[in-house]
Amino acid sequence: MIAANIMKAHDYEEVSILQNKKARLLAINVIHDTTRGPAVGGIRFMKYKSEDEAIYDALNLARSMTYKTAAAGLSCGGGKTVIMDVEEMDRVLALKTVARFIESLNGRRFTGRDLGISLEDLEIMRTETQWVADESAAGVGDLSEATACGVYHAMRACLEEVSGTDSFKGKKVAVQGVGEVGFWVAKYAVEAGARVVVADVNPGALARTVEDLKVEAVSPDQIYEVDCDVFSPCALGGVLNSGTIPRLRCKIVAGSANNVLGNEQDGNSLYGRGIVYAPDYIANAGAVIQWWFRQTAYPVMDKRDGREVIANIYLVVKEILRRSREKQQPPARVADQYAENQLKPEKTYRDMNWGM
């Protein structure tokens, strides 16, 4: 009933639970909103403590995708799929099962990579459905780099808000999580002239980043207390909460992690401390923007250069921060209002089969 209450409160369209006993699969597919277009959003493959936790994660992520695409001005909506990672799972069969379900939606749902999903996984899924992103050079390109590019432009807007200039020179950036996206975020910051400190629970990813970018490393717990200009969470969501926000020693929070705030009150807490926050679903929209303007599965009426639209994240974040300042409201709340204003006033369900 918790899921049903959330669906009614935030006007979700559909939640599906997929099960395949042979594969040991339990997956949740959520479609939040398709009034602007097909529900886009990646597949997350990870361990959850319970089915309820997985459902709650999928619900939050799908709604964030709706807001992300709406704020970016794209003609699509939001969805998400999570697969519960369990012991002795038949990964190939599980992925094919999810792909067959996605195919049955006839283009109403389009998906790609998220945490725990590799390029090889996408290729397996592409044997069963056409509604999966092709991240090859001939397809939509490296979406991890595109995400990081958007975060970089969001940081620029925040730096200008705080210091009057978008320059990284002389600034210090602390990056939490240097996997595929976080590595690129650190690289952008280094190349822009910032001093960068990184942390990751994965020793291999950390060693690679330190060696390639010549940056400083601290422990995953110490990263919250690094005295810096920008704290950039690029790992899991929910890391900014009542336990971690008081430890922050930064002026700005801008990263790629989805749903980085534990709850709405955490956005208020950042605002109360005077920390400038780039709302996550706006800062990390680079991937879906690049995908939308390079994909060929759906018609794009307003064809533009995706990289120019990613750069426009700078202007969107500046506008959010301006409204936050004028309304004296937290940027997280202002961003939700901004995104909701881009949605149609009522759901019409006029195109249930976008691919037909």
Side-chain angles (χ1 to χ4, degrees), residues 113-331:
R113 280 196 301 160
D114 195 2
L115 293 173
I117 294 290
S118 67
L119 291 174
E120 291 75 16
D121 291 333
L122 291 189
E123 289 307 307
I124 291 170
M125 296 186 69
R126 284 169 62 79
T127 65
E128 302 292 337
T129 180
Q130 62 183 307
W131 309 109
V132 175
D134 176 7
E135 294 189 35
S136 67
V140 296
D142 188 338
L143 298 184
S144 296
E145 181 277 331
T147 301
C149 183
V151 172
Y152 163 73
H153 289 299
M155 287 181 181
R156 288 179 51 223
C158 292
L159 285 170
E160 187 167 326
E161 177 74 13
V162 169
S163 62
T165 174
D166 66 351
S167 174
F168 281 74
K169 295 188 184 305
K171 300 297 191 295
K172 189 174 182 180
V173 178
V175 181
Q176 180 191 47
V178 285
E180 295 188 26
V181 177
F183 174 84
W184 279 105
V185 170
K187 190 172 189 292
Y188 268 104
V190 167
E191 292 178 350
R195 178 187 170 196
V196 175
V197 180
V198 300
D200 200 296
V201 296
N202 183 331
L206 187 64
R208 171 205 174 201
T209 304
V210 170
E211 180 178 352
D212 290 357
L213 303 182
K214 311 304 179 190
V215 295
E216 178 185 348
V218 297
S219 73
D221 187 61
Q222 290 174 320
I223 194 71
Y224 294 104
E225 297 176 356
V226 172
D227 190 356
C228 60
D229 295 281
V230 183
F231 176 74
S232 185
C234 297
L236 294 175
V239 297
L240 295 183
N241 50 54
S242 60
T244 58
I245 290 174
R247 299 172 60 192
L248 294 177
R249 300 176 64 192
C250 62
K251 301 172 184 175
I252 294 163
V253 170
S256 67
N258 286 307
N259 295 335
V260 71
L261 300 176
N263 54 48
E264 183 178 351
Q265 180 55 44
D266 296 321
N268 298 338
S269 296
L270 284 177
Y271 183 70
R273 286 199 55 196
I275 297 174
V276 172
Y277 171 59
D280 50 15
Y281 59 78
I282 293 178
N284 66 20
V288 72
I289 292 171
Q290 179 160 301
W291 165 76
W292 179 248
F293 289 107
R294 294 186 181 181
Q295 56 82 30
T296 57
Y298 305 96
V300 178
M301 303 305 177
D302 182 18
K303 198 72 175 178
R304 290 180 284 168
D305 183 340
R307 302 302 288 194
E308 291 183 0
V309 182
I310 292 173
N312 195 55
I313 288 175
Y314 164 77
L315 295 178
V316 176
V317 174
K318 278 194 68 173
E319 177 63 15
I320 297 298
L321 297 179
R322 182 190 68 79
R323 295 186 187 187
S324 170
R325 195 169 58 248
E326 291 181 353
K327 295 182 177 182
Q328 297 185 2
Q329 293 181 356

Side-chain angles (χ1 to χ4, degrees), residues 46-94:
M46 64 179 284
K47 293 185 182 297
Y48 289 95
K49 296 176 183 177
S50 66
E51 288 96 349
D52 285 345
E53 183 184 40
I55 293 170
Y56 187 73
D57 196 30
L59 286 165
N60 282 339
L61 291 166
R63 181 167 167 243
S64 290
M65 284 303 303
T66 295
Y67 284 14
K68 181 182 300 188
T69 56
L74 308 182
S75 298
C76 45
K80 205 73 178 183
T81 305
V82 303
I83 300 175
M84 297 187 69
D85 184 5
V86 298
E87 298 297 327
E88 299 180 6
M89 171 180 274
D90 185 334
R91 188 181 183 99
V92 172
L93 181 56

Side-chain angles (χ1 to χ4, degrees), residues 1-12 15 52 55 59:
M1 289 302 295
I2 293 176
N5 290 337
I6 294 173
M7 288 182 71
K8 288 186 285 187
H10 297 292
D11 206 12
Y12 286 79
V15 175
D52 285 345
I55 293 170
L59 286 165

Side-chain angles (χ1 to χ4, degrees), residues 334-353:
V334 173
D336 285 356
Q337 296 166 357
Y338 180 88
E340 287 165 359
N341 286 340
Q342 313 305 313
L343 298 174
K344 295 173 183 176
E346 295 180 358
K347 291 185 184 296
T348 60
Y349 299 93
R350 58 184 174 77
D351 284 309
M352 296 297 281
N353 295 312

